[in-house]
Amino acid sequence: MKRITILLTVSLFTILCSAQSYKGFIEAGKTFFVEDTKTPYGKYENSELHTTDLMTTHGLQFNQLFVGMGAGVRLGDCFFGLPIYANARYSFTSKKVSPFADAKVGYAFCDAKGFYAYPSVGVNWNCYKTLSIFLKAGYTYNQTKDLDINMNGVTVMAGFSF
């Protein structure tokens, strides 16, 4: 019985190891605020405020599922945020052009201190072997307690994976 358990464990470990590979993402985009917000400098309409977001994520690819960790920078008109997050991405097909669903969940530090989440959907174009480019859109939620700024909004990002 002990030999069978060891054999099954080694077989399962071998299958899991062969089905995974390292993958990294670098992406940049804009978040456009969807609600009017009050800042230390007065009240702005949603069309006046936005953030520039830069993110990098690294982890393991299991067939069509990616799981990893990442960090980023959110540069706003009157604040600065550093989100640290866990990331999961599922590609619906393994063709050259593939739609995907993506979710980042974590915590942001600095001025934008608080819970951070960014679910999105997009399209991935496999250019060359493991190199691909993608475009995605979603909604960024960044709950803050210290600022009167509502940093939630529609986010559009482009990037590449390697």
Side-chain angles (χ1 to χ4, degrees), residues 37-59:
T37 186
K38 182 180 175 190
T39 69
Y41 308 109
K43 186 174 179 179
Y44 288 96
E45 293 183 12
N46 58 5
S47 61
E48 295 178 5
L49 290 176
H50 63 275
T51 64
T52 301
D53 302 334
L54 303 168
M55 307 283 178
T56 182
T57 308
H58 303 273

Side-chain angles (χ1 to χ4, degrees), residues 54-118:
L54 303 168
M55 307 283 178
T56 182
T57 308
H58 303 273
L60 296 175
Q61 183 77 38
F62 299 93
N63 297 325
Q64 293 173 287
L65 177 66
F66 168 81
V67 179
M69 299 286 293
V73 175
R74 297 189 73 207
L75 301 170
D77 295 327
C78 54
F79 71 91
F80 175 74
L82 292 171
I84 306 290
Y85 54 84
N87 185 210
R89 176 184 288 213
Y90 182 78
S91 297
F92 295 105
T93 66
S94 56
K95 296 181 180 180
K96 186 171 179 104
V97 176
S98 173
F100 65 86
D102 185 75
K104 293 175 172 51
V105 177
Y107 191 85
F109 297 94
C110 294
D111 295 337
K113 181 172 37 175
F115 177 75
Y116 173 82
Y118 172 46

Side-chain angles (χ1 to χ4, degrees), residues 8-20 62-63:
L8 286 173
T9 303
V10 170
S11 299
L12 182 62
F13 182 74
T14 304
I15 290 169
L16 286 175
C17 287
S18 66
Q20 68 187 9
F62 299 93
N63 297 325

Side-chain angles (χ1 to χ4, degrees), residues 121-151:
V121 293
V123 178
N124 191 54
W125 292 274
N126 295 319
C127 303
Y128 178 75
K129 294 183 181 179
T130 60
L131 183 65
S132 64
I133 58 175
F134 60 89
L135 180 64
K136 65 182 182 175
Y139 185 81
T140 298
Y141 177 78
N142 195 172
Q143 176 187 17
T144 61
K145 297 176 185 173
D146 297 341
L147 297 174
D148 289 335
I149 302 172
N150 180 355
M151 292 182 286

